[in-house]
Amino acid sequence: MKRILLILLLLSATSNTIFAQKPQKLTTNQIYEKIQKLNFLGTALYIAAHPDDENTRLIAYLANNIKARTGYLSLTRGDGGQNLIGPEIRELLGVIRTQELLAARRIDGGQQFFTRANDFGYSKHPDETLKIWNKEKVLSDVVWAIRTFKPDVIINRFNHRTPGTTHGHHTSSAILSVEAFDKVGDKTQFPEQLKYTSVWNPKRLFFNTSSWFYRNQEDFDKATKGKLTSFDVGVYYPLKGLSNNELASMASSQHLSQGFGRLLTRGSQKEYVEFLKGDKPKDQTAIFSGINTTWNRLKNGGEIGDILYEIEENFDFVNPSKHLPRLLEAYKMIQKIEDAHWRAIKEKQLKEIIEACAGLYLEASAVSASATPNATIAINFEVLNRSGVPMELTSITSTIDNKTVSKTLELTTNKKINFKETITIKTTQFSDPYWLREKASLGMYAVENQLLIGKPETPRSAKIDFNLMIDEVPITITKNVVRRYSERDKGEIYEPFEILPIITTKLQDKVLLFSDQKAHKIAVEVRAGANNAKGKVSLKVPTDWEVSPKEITFNIQQKNDKQTVEFMITPPKNQSEGKLEVIATSNGKTYNKELVEINYNHIPKQSILLNSEAKIVRLNIKKVGDKIGYIKGAGDRVPENLRQIGYTVVEINPSEINAENLHEYDAIVLGIRAYNVEKELKFKQKYLLDYVEKGGNMIVQYNTNRGVAIAAPFPLKLSRDRVTDEFAEVRILDKNNSLLNFPNKITAADFDGWVQERGLYFPGSWDAAYTPVLSMNDKGETPKNGSLLIAKYGKGNYIYTGLSFFRELPAGVSGAYKLFANLLAAGKEKEF
């Protein structure tokens, strides 16, 4: 029963927003484990390309069995992937996946790092990857991560010697790691970094291999004979009531946007690493073999080790506070360590242990979840000493305004002290994701501040230093300002404290389509980040567009309230594309950001500031039909985009599909990966095909080929075929096909301006009843003819497409809109 409760506690601590920001409340088992980690002075860094590439089994094993400081360097934030839990793509998806990685690390015990590489989508070869990325900058970021984290051991997830056999990002991560291994100790390489760190020489480099990288087990055994270090990562942790595999499964399951929720696994399991460079370990079962990982690694560290090893050996699980005098003695000694790198690490670790052994609770909770620069905000403080050790709070210091308030409060055993102070937000910098503040290129995020590069999040600037005397030893414990409150149906909730603009604006749609010259009403939502926000808002449009009125006044009395203002936009007569920008002014300052809030149960609430703008398109487009039924899949914005053309789009719940209710629609569209995520669809296929047979038009967008059975009237086999080059030539196979001629004429020019890719997961084979319409391929590959297939079935039409409309329509690609309108009009030529 205790084991079940522990699992539930671990899961709840990482799978609900209301728990995601809660302060640590360590059990004595967890304190003891932290002492074990305190007494291990070894570091390992795992390197791969994306969120979900990391081997959580190995990371958990290194962090929890070996007790090593363990990091995961993901070269990208996964921005180019798909999203199974919502409509966010690109940079917003990158924010979600960043938080999912942090959630995974909170479980498996690792730390998280990144480079500035932008995940631009699937890449088939590292040559392409490193051309689109700025290779030199990404390499410098890998070197920076190694120099600052200073690992003894580096482990690559992928093989640098097999380009073209897997995702180009994957191989690139290994290539860059191997190159960085040779450069980190050379002071002539990236010397600008040495203002903030020092050169480093990792001891050894490995490749985390397995039979997965080979055709079969026999090939794996032959290729790696005598080259491998192996260990059983299925070990059981009695202090956790969990095996390493279970811990790893829980960590991996945090990648929910990628559909990685999984059953826990347990039992013996081997992991293999192949030695690549450096000092080869003599013990083939010990990755740190021959590396000094004791306190004797440091000058005068042996004396500290004498104290801390004794505490570990004789730890009191019932009364951990008895160890405080010796822990404080070690703390004073650690502050004198000459090695600044290890001094900072061990001082932080030991503070956490001292705090936990004392049962010390320190909290700074803002009265609001956000504030604006230069605002003054009230903070509620709670201080509690639950040990018998003499303790005093001498003062508190707000790091954001350098304000120190003397307290001199005796912290007697279990007597809670509450008080309130105010701080001023003395910063002009917001708390939004730092890597999104400047415009990114296709391959790189723009971050110039060296000290930010690699960090998973923007460092919190609103912090409180609690300056204490614990048994006459001065010690400062720093806490982030948070927002703690409760809701009757949820209980206690913690949220990050954000610093946000006083004014943000929002356009409902990111693409504004005008199919004629009529003026459209455009609504702008203005949000106040403080009370009594007043000003004016205007729209900036290309010179051939008109806006009326020129500006509108807003006056919002309450913080977080919103006011909607409306403009009339008149497009030009001819086709035109451009950018519409929202500009608000207040008290002589200009504000041009939109606040996007992401709030999923498994990650903390996120506040992102993006440019408040939209693409505006005057497009001569024709449409046939009006009412479209849309069955959403993994999450996309196609329904909103179709409404822009003038369709009435009704989103259909798969469970409500029956023999009668589909026939009112001019077309039925299935969203991306609908068959992958909507289990109910397999029971509704007969109704969908009946709809087509009786004259309906059904469009199925891409699904992955993972054992899915789609509602197709004739045999159709999905493959992993894709065309990743958005500039790849598109060849027309059936120039007379209605999909290319009615009601809009489609030419090669309509495939200009596509973003990220042409399409993905094309059918690889299909029945002769289908007509392939387009052909395309990436450089050096055979033609892929399955991107758009149409088949006549009864009186209706069935269309399957792997073209990436879910990316192109939100990006405002004119040709994609015209082509999709033709798909919706299939079979209706005779009506006109």
Side-chain angles (χ1 to χ4, degrees):
M1 184 64 184
K2 289 181 179 179
R3 181 170 180 268
I4 294 172
L5 287 173
L6 180 57
I7 292 174
L8 290 173
L9 285 169
L10 283 168
L11 285 171
S12 68
T14 55
S15 61
N16 292 284
T17 299
I18 61 175
F19 296 117
Q21 294 296 307
K22 276 197 171 184
Q24 289 190 89
K25 299 174 184 177
L26 302 178
T27 66
T28 51
N29 283 5
Q30 292 169 316
I31 296 172
Y32 178 71
E33 289 179 310
K34 283 187 176 290
I35 292 172
Q36 289 179 309
K37 290 181 73 69
L38 180 68
N39 284 334
F40 189 91
L41 280 73
T43 304
L45 180 63
Y46 199 87
I47 298 179
H50 309 107
D52 86 354
D53 284 347
E54 81 273 28
N55 184 341
T56 53
R57 293 184 304 273
L58 189 49
I59 290 174
Y61 178 83
L62 291 167
N64 295 279
N65 188 67
I66 293 180
K67 310 299 181 184
R69 285 176 69 240
T70 306
Y72 173 45
L73 173 60
S74 176
L75 266 58
T76 77
R77 296 176 186 265
D79 330 69
Q82 289 83 51
N83 184 0
L84 285 181
I85 61 174
E88 297 89 358
I89 57 175
R90 290 302 309 150
E91 65 271 9
L92 295 181
L93 177 58
V95 172
I96 292 172
R97 291 190 172 181
T98 293
Q99 290 300 318
E100 289 177 338
L101 277 171
L102 289 170
R105 298 295 80 77
R106 285 192 289 271
I107 294 174
D108 63 30
Q111 298 180 49
Q112 187 60 51
F113 307 99
F114 294 95
T115 73
R116 290 170 290 179
N118 190 346
D119 180 2
F120 55 83
Y122 195 89
S123 175
K124 294 180 177 179
H125 199 280
D127 288 349
E128 178 196 40
T129 299
L130 296 173
K131 182 179 179 181
I132 294 175
W133 289 349
N134 182 319
K135 180 188 174 183
E136 196 68 6
K137 285 187 176 181
V138 181
L139 176 61
S140 77
D141 291 356
V142 177
V143 169
W144 170 254
I146 297 171
R147 283 175 172 173
T148 54
F149 194 56
K150 300 192 184 311
D152 302 296
V153 173
I154 298 174
I155 305 172
N156 291 342
R157 182 67 179 111
F158 298 104
N159 193 345
H160 67 288
R161 299 159 296 195
T162 55
T165 60
T166 182
H167 195 321
H169 296 182
H170 291 169
T171 311
S172 294
S173 70
I175 290 172
L176 293 172
S177 175
V178 171
E179 191 169 338
F181 186 86
D182 295 329
K183 292 181 181 292
V184 291
D186 185 348
K187 64 182 180 181
T188 67
Q189 299 292 326
F190 311 110
E192 67 281 357
Q193 298 178 359
L194 301 181
K195 291 184 288 186
Y196 311 103
T197 189
S198 59
V199 295
W200 181 247
N201 291 294
K203 299 293 189 297
R204 54 191 64 139
L205 175 67
F206 294 98
F207 162 42
N208 180 202
T209 188
S210 73
S211 59
W212 184 86
F213 291 97
Y214 297 83
R215 290 181 301 176
N216 51 52
Q217 184 69 38
E218 183 180 350
D219 283 357
F220 171 61
D221 293 339
K222 182 179 180 181
T224 59
K225 186 176 181 180
K227 299 179 180 179
L228 300 183
T229 296
S230 66
F231 24 83
D232 185 352
V233 296
V235 295
Y236 177 66
Y237 303 126
L239 291 173
K240 298 179 185 293
L242 294 167
S243 66
N244 189 77
N245 331 47
E246 290 173 298
L247 205 63
S249 298
M250 291 162 61
S252 180
S253 287
Q254 301 310 302
H255 296 298
L256 294 184
S257 67
Q258 303 186 68
F260 269 46
R262 57 189 291 195
L263 290 170
L264 304 189
T265 61
R266 54 200 64 81
S268 179
Q269 186 168 0
K270 286 277 191 178
E271 280 291 338
Y272 301 92
V273 293
E274 177 188 351
F275 174 77
L276 297 179
K277 284 191 172 189
D279 175 20
K280 189 172 184 178
K282 295 179 181 178
D283 183 348
Q284 294 298 295
T285 63
I287 204 166
F288 281 90
S289 173
I291 299 173
N292 187 354
T293 59
T294 71
W295 277 101
N296 286 320
R297 176 174 189 159
L298 304 179
K299 183 179 179 181
N300 300 323
E303 297 177 29
I304 301 170
D306 289 342
I307 296 172
L308 296 177
Y309 293 135
E310 189 274 333
I311 292 174
E312 179 181 345
E313 185 176 350
N314 300 287
F315 185 70
D316 191 330
F317 287 85
V318 176
N319 180 27
S321 64
K322 68 177 282 187
H323 300 295
L324 282 171
R326 293 287 276 167
L327 289 170
L328 290 166
E329 185 180 347
Y331 174 73
K332 290 188 292 185
M333 296 169 69
I334 283 174
Q335 289 181 300
K336 298 176 182 178
I337 292 175
E338 292 181 11
D339 188 319
H341 172 72
W342 281 111
R343 182 174 67 242
I345 292 167
K346 294 305 173 183
E347 183 177 338
K348 180 181 178 182
Q349 289 178 341
L350 188 49
K351 279 184 182 181
E352 291 176 353
I353 293 167
I354 290 170
E355 181 182 356
C357 285
L360 187 59
Y361 187 84
L362 305 170
E363 180 180 280
S365 175
V367 298
S368 174
S370 67
T372 59
N374 297 313
T376 298
I377 190 165
I379 306 292
N380 293 313
F381 290 87
E382 181 176 333
V383 182
L384 177 62
N385 168 24
R386 288 172 284 196
S387 74
V389 174
M391 201 175 301
E392 179 184 307
L393 177 66
T394 59
S395 64
I396 57 168
T397 300
S398 165
T399 62
I400 200 167
D401 59 2
N402 294 317
K403 176 183 178 182
T404 297
V405 179
S406 178
K407 285 297 174 185
T408 318
L409 297 173
E410 183 181 352
L411 306 182
T412 55
T413 304
N414 214 30
K415 297 295 183 181
K416 181 176 66 174
I417 297 176
N418 293 102
F419 57 91
K420 183 178 288 188
E421 299 290 346
T422 60
I423 63 172
T424 303
I425 308 301
K426 290 289 186 182
T427 180
T428 58
Q429 193 62 264
F430 303 121
S431 53
D432 57 320
Y434 70 88
W435 64 95
L436 299 180
R437 290 172 179 165
E438 303 294 334
K439 184 176 176 60
S441 68
L442 175 63
M444 294 293 295
Y445 283 114
V447 181
E448 297 303 322
N449 185 340
Q450 185 66 57
L451 295 178
L452 285 177
I453 292 171
K455 292 186 180 297
E457 302 178 281
T458 302
R460 295 285 163 180
S461 53
K463 297 175 180 286
I464 299 294
D465 288 339
F466 290 83
N467 304 310
L468 302 151
M469 290 290 290
I470 302 178
D471 202 12
E472 300 186 351
V473 176
I475 186 168
T476 296
I477 298 176
T478 303
K479 298 290 182 181
N480 289 331
V481 175
V482 296
R483 166 65 170 150
R484 179 171 71 101
Y485 63 102
S486 66
E487 290 187 1
R488 295 181 66 179
D489 60 340
K490 294 180 181 178
E492 186 178 62
I493 300 172
Y494 280 79
E495 287 184 356
F497 176 72
E498 308 285 8
I499 301 171
L500 301 171
I502 193 170
I503 302 294
T504 53
T505 60
K506 180 181 179 180
L507 291 160
Q508 187 63 40
D509 297 300
K510 300 308 172 196
V511 176
L512 302 172
L513 243 74
F514 296 76
S515 58
D516 53 37
Q517 207 176 352
K518 294 179 183 177
H520 285 204
K521 185 181 292 184
I522 303 299
V524 177
E525 181 183 272
V526 184
R527 177 188 179 276
N531 293 336
N532 302 314
K534 302 177 182 179
K536 296 178 179 180
V537 62
S538 61
L539 302 182
K540 183 179 179 182
V541 296
T543 54
D544 52 349
W545 295 67
E546 296 180 4
V547 179
S548 178
K550 296 296 183 184
E551 60 183 22
I552 299 176
T553 299
F554 62 87
N555 186 345
I556 307 175
Q557 297 301 309
Q558 290 184 307
K559 179 180 178 177
N560 294 329
D561 198 4
K562 300 167 185 175
Q563 180 181 335
T564 299
V565 298
E566 295 180 337
F567 295 86
M568 295 300 294
I569 305 287
T570 304
K573 179 179 179 180
N574 299 318
Q575 288 198 173
S576 174
E577 293 186 4
K579 183 168 66 175
L580 180 150
E581 300 174 77
V582 183
I583 300 172
T585 56
S586 179
N587 294 322
K589 294 183 178 180
T590 298
Y591 301 91
N592 62 353
K593 295 294 183 181
E594 172 190 357
L595 173 62
V596 179
E597 294 180 324
I598 297 177
N599 204 3
Y600 289 105
N601 286 338
H602 65 304
I603 59 175
K605 182 179 179 182
Q606 299 296 298
S607 298
I608 302 105
L609 297 173
L610 302 177
N611 290 336
S612 186
E613 61 187 30
K615 185 174 183 179
I616 49 175
V617 181
R618 168 68 173 95
L619 177 62
N620 292 324
I621 187 172
K622 299 173 184 177
K623 72 181 188 69
V624 173
D626 176 60
K627 194 172 183 181
I628 308 300
Y630 200 94
I631 302 171
K632 294 201 88 168
D636 60 64
R637 298 191 182 277
V638 172
E640 299 99 296
N641 301 135
L642 297 181
R643 293 184 184 108
Q644 285 281 320
I645 311 176
Y647 291 102
T648 299
V649 183
V650 179
E651 295 183 22
I652 301 172
N653 186 330
S655 65
E656 297 173 356
I657 295 174
N658 57 46
E660 304 297 329
N661 63 359
L662 297 180
H663 297 283
E664 62 182 288
Y665 298 104
D666 294 307
I668 298 294
V669 181
L670 274 70
I672 60 172
R673 299 176 78 167
Y675 285 104
N676 295 122
V677 300
E678 291 289 350
K679 296 180 175 61
E680 188 73 18
L681 277 177
K682 65 182 178 182
F683 304 114
K684 304 296 181 177
Q685 301 207 31
K686 56 187 176 182
Y687 303 126
L688 293 167
L689 291 179
D690 180 67
Y691 163 79
V692 179
E693 190 174 22
K694 291 179 179 178
N697 183 17
M698 180 173 163
I699 302 163
V700 180
Q701 297 181 82
Y702 96 92
N703 289 265
T704 64
N705 60 347
R706 296 176 184 172
V708 67
I710 62 175
F714 309 106
L716 181 73
K717 187 175 182 180
L718 301 181
S719 72
R720 296 183 64 85
D721 286 349
R722 62 173 77 206
V723 176
T724 62
D725 182 359
E726 63 269 40
F727 304 106
E729 178 190 6
V730 177
R731 299 173 294 276
I732 294 173
L733 298 176
D734 186 7
K735 65 180 181 180
N736 296 320
N737 196 288
S738 67
L739 297 186
L740 302 179
N741 293 281
F742 179 81
N744 302 286
K745 180 67 176 177
I746 302 298
T747 69
D750 289 300
F751 294 94
D752 293 342
W754 283 50
V755 299
Q756 187 161 327
E757 62 202 354
R758 290 295 190 196
L760 61 170
Y761 291 101
F762 298 161
S765 61
W766 51 87
D767 189 88
Y770 294 99
T771 299
V773 179
L774 303 172
S775 178
M776 59 191 72
N777 56 271
D778 282 320
K779 184 178 179 181
E781 294 191 351
T782 58
K784 305 295 184 287
N785 297 341
S787 64
L788 180 58
L789 303 176
I790 182 170
K792 192 73 176 176
Y793 181 62
K795 298 179 181 179
N797 290 278
Y798 176 92
I799 298 169
Y800 188 93
T801 179
L803 294 171
S804 57
F805 288 108
F806 74 102
R807 296 196 190 280
E808 312 314 320
L809 300 186
V813 178
S814 300
Y817 275 93
K818 290 169 61 179
L819 180 56
F820 209 97
N822 285 11
L823 304 189
L824 295 171
K828 295 181 170 59
E829 301 94 320
K830 295 179 181 179
E831 299 176 17
F832 293 86

